[in-house]
Amino acid sequence: NAGVTQTPKFRILKIGQSMTLQCAQDMNHNYMYWYRQDPGMGLKLIYYSVGAGITDKGEVPNGYNVSRSTTEDFPLRLELAAPSQTSVYFCASSYGEGREQYFGPGTRLTVT
Amino acid sequence: GQQLNQSPQSMFIQEGEDVSMNCTSSSIFNTWLWYKQEPGEGPVLLIALYKAGELTSNGRLTAQFGITRKDSFLNISASIPSDVGIYFCAGRWQAGTALIFGKGTTLSVSS
């Protein structure tokens, strides 16, 4: 199993541009999550999904959107990139609520 | 909202020393997880704890779910250079809520 995969690894955006961060998992997990990690801070939850077709906001959802059309994929969309969205983004999945989460390798995004 | 206090913030130790770090919460938690993150990588799960008082080992790592359910501890015995990284605790205080992460303990090991 590849586990949780994320693309791209790195990206530089100009203010106002949009992009989609891709996330896929091959563990047949129902639950998937998007986090952002800023220097010296823990992980902040952006959005999560409990199954295909179901998504919900986390702690810091403003400026982001998600969709979950399949069990495997959970893309994160930035519509109008802002410097405050410069961060490292991690996708994670788990097989049940409250169970251990498995993380992807991350996407480092810079908005200038 | 719920918060986790993780300490120490950083540690500088010699190879072979034992390490101890902990997380405390303001509320009772029902899940504690410990992760390690190396530079440029995602967090990797080390140990998962689901019952108060539970003590679980993974090689040289041992973690405990505090009996009060408001804290958890991670110990690393006989540290080696590859233990270097950031260690995060994460916890959940009730069903239907998201995991909360501590800010991490940065471990440096000198040989």
Side-chain angles (χ1 to χ4, degrees), chain A residues 6 9 33 35 37 40-45 48 58 88 90 95 97-106 108, chain B residues 9 31 33 35 37 40-45 48 50 86 88 92 94-104:
Chain A
Q6 293 182 240
K9 185 77 170 173
Y33 313 83
Y35 293 90
Q37 183 179 40
M41 305 296 289
L43 293 149
K44 301 289 187 183
L45 183 64
Y48 67 99
V88 182
F90 289 102
Y95 69 86
E97 182 190 37
R99 304 302 294 185
E100 55 268 28
Q101 296 181 14
Y102 297 89
F103 285 81
R108 183 175 295 275
Chain B
Q9 186 174 357
T31 300
L33 307 172
Y35 289 87
Q37 185 179 26
E41 302 293 330
V44 174
L45 181 69
Y50 296 103
I86 304 175
F88 290 99
R92 193 177 75 134
Q94 69 178 32
T97 62
L99 276 181
I100 301 168
F101 285 80
K103 294 184 178 180

Side-chain angles (χ1 to χ4, degrees), chain A residues 1-4 25-30 72 93-95 102-103:
Chain A
N1 286 352
V4 180
Q25 52 90 12
D26 61 0
M27 297 175 282
N28 202 32
H29 286 171
N30 283 323
E72 294 78 19
S93 72
S94 67
Y95 69 86
Y102 297 89
F103 285 81

